[in-house]
Amino acid sequence: MSEENESRQPFKRPFRHFTSPKTENKELVFGVQSVLETLRSGKEIDRLLVQRELGNSEILDLAREKGIHVQKVPVEKLNRITRKNHQGAIAFVSAIHYAKLENVIADTFEKGEVPFILILDRITDVRNFGAIARTAECAGIHAIVIPARGAAQINGDAMKTSSGALNFIPVCREESLLQTVDFLQNSGLKVVACTEKGRSSVYAVDYSGPVAIIMGSEEDGISDELIRKSDDLAVIPQTGQVGSLNVSVAAGIVIFETVRQRTR
């Protein structure tokens, strides 16, 4: 690589976070005492299921204290997850530690870098999520933002599909993506929604400044509320008959258009 090309490299990652190796069975914790100890340990929990008829009050109180959403479900659902003695409580432990978005943004600006954030609105397919994370890490994106509920579980399959990228790129889990967009805009970032409702081609939008790109769910795309809050709506030009792209492919197109603009 020439000296000129080296000087054009656009991003440096603000930090890396690593996870301890996990086996698949360590992601699933069941039994009242095991779930309670997991809650007390401070580990990241993606989902917490309790039997609707028996809901353990200690688990419910501790989960509420830690801001963890509890799903009350029939025993049949718990039995489908595991036939072992779950005692009416199952927790799915996250394969990663989530980062705080405000810390990522502050750290990026402090290093003199131009923030590049990816928001995933209800991406539920684990393989799509892993593929997007791999692309995002290769492109030097500073963080991926996902909603606290209604998103793909970050498990062993996601880690595998990302080819380990989820070990290196910060993931931020936010209660409200609408509030997240407000925060990013107030921090000086332009928010661009990539949607078929877009007014501009993805190749006509300016991504050279601080930017956050929103990609929508496989089924419904980006929510109308997020579209209304966005600063620009970008569409990927298509001439075929199918009319839609896989979300991981679409994400790759807009992500590397941003990279192209920042390296020219």
Side-chain angles (χ1 to χ4, degrees):
M1 181 181 292
S2 70
E3 183 177 339
E4 179 183 3
N5 285 339
E6 287 179 350
S7 67
R8 290 180 176 178
Q9 296 305 299
F11 327 118
K12 294 181 180 177
R13 296 169 183 84
F15 57 83
R16 292 183 172 185
H17 71 289
F18 298 88
T19 58
S20 301
K22 291 179 179 286
T23 58
E24 285 292 316
N25 62 357
K26 287 187 179 180
E27 293 176 0
L28 180 67
V29 177
F30 54 87
V32 171
Q33 287 305 314
S34 296
V35 170
L36 282 171
E37 289 304 319
T38 302
L39 285 166
R40 293 180 184 126
S41 73
K43 291 180 179 178
E44 299 278 3
I45 293 178
D46 276 335
R47 295 171 64 202
L48 179 54
L49 310 181
V50 298
Q51 187 175 335
R52 183 179 294 156
E53 299 83 0
L54 301 177
N56 183 283
S57 60
E58 191 174 0
I59 289 177
L60 296 177
D61 291 343
L62 193 53
R64 189 180 305 110
E65 177 186 319
K66 293 181 175 294
I68 297 170
H69 177 67
V70 178
Q71 292 178 262
K72 294 183 180 181
V73 298
V75 67
E76 291 80 11
K77 180 165 184 175
L78 300 177
N79 290 340
R80 286 196 297 270
I81 295 171
T82 178
R83 298 301 299 180
K84 296 181 180 179
N85 185 20
H86 51 68
Q87 300 175 311
I90 295 177
F92 292 87
V93 180
S94 173
I96 66 168
H97 295 291
Y98 293 101
K100 292 186 179 297
L101 183 58
E102 56 266 34
N103 293 346
V104 174
I105 297 299
D107 190 68
T108 304
F109 278 125
E110 186 177 327
K111 291 186 175 182
E113 299 169 5
V114 182
F116 185 8
I117 303 298
L118 181 64
I119 302 172
L120 302 181
D121 180 23
R122 297 165 298 139
I123 301 294
T124 56
D125 187 282
V126 170
R127 290 166 297 182
N128 279 337
F129 177 79
I132 292 170
R134 181 177 183 178
T135 300
E137 202 283 331
C138 289
I141 282 178
H142 291 97
I144 297 172
V145 179
I146 61 174
R149 290 180 285 279
Q153 183 185 344
I154 302 179
N155 56 18
D157 286 338
M159 296 293 288
K160 181 178 180 180
T161 309
S162 78
S163 293
L166 285 166
N167 286 317
F168 303 108
I169 185 168
V171 178
C172 307
R173 186 167 59 175
E174 301 294 324
E175 282 294 327
S176 169
L177 292 186
L178 294 175
Q179 293 178 10
T180 297
V181 167
D182 286 337
F183 165 73
L184 291 171
Q185 289 171 329
N186 291 333
S187 299
L189 278 73
K190 177 167 72 173
V191 176
V192 179
C194 186
T195 168
E196 72 280 359
K197 300 175 184 178
R199 297 182 292 264
S200 309
S201 164
V202 290
Y203 306 114
V205 176
D206 181 8
Y207 309 97
S208 59
V211 69
I213 294 169
I214 307 177
M215 302 301 302
S217 75
E218 299 90 343
E219 297 296 325
D220 305 320
I222 301 170
S223 71
D224 290 338
E225 293 85 357
L226 285 174
I227 286 176
R228 285 194 291 269
K229 273 188 171 289
S230 298
D231 299 303
D232 209 339
L233 307 181
V235 62
I236 298 173
Q238 298 174 60
T239 57
Q241 299 300 312
V242 175
S244 65
L245 290 168
N246 174 276
V247 65
S248 66
V249 174
I253 290 170
V254 68
I255 286 169
F256 275 95
E257 171 59 19
T258 304
V259 172
R260 185 192 70 81
Q261 290 188 18
R262 293 183 176 201
T263 55
R264 63 187 178 188

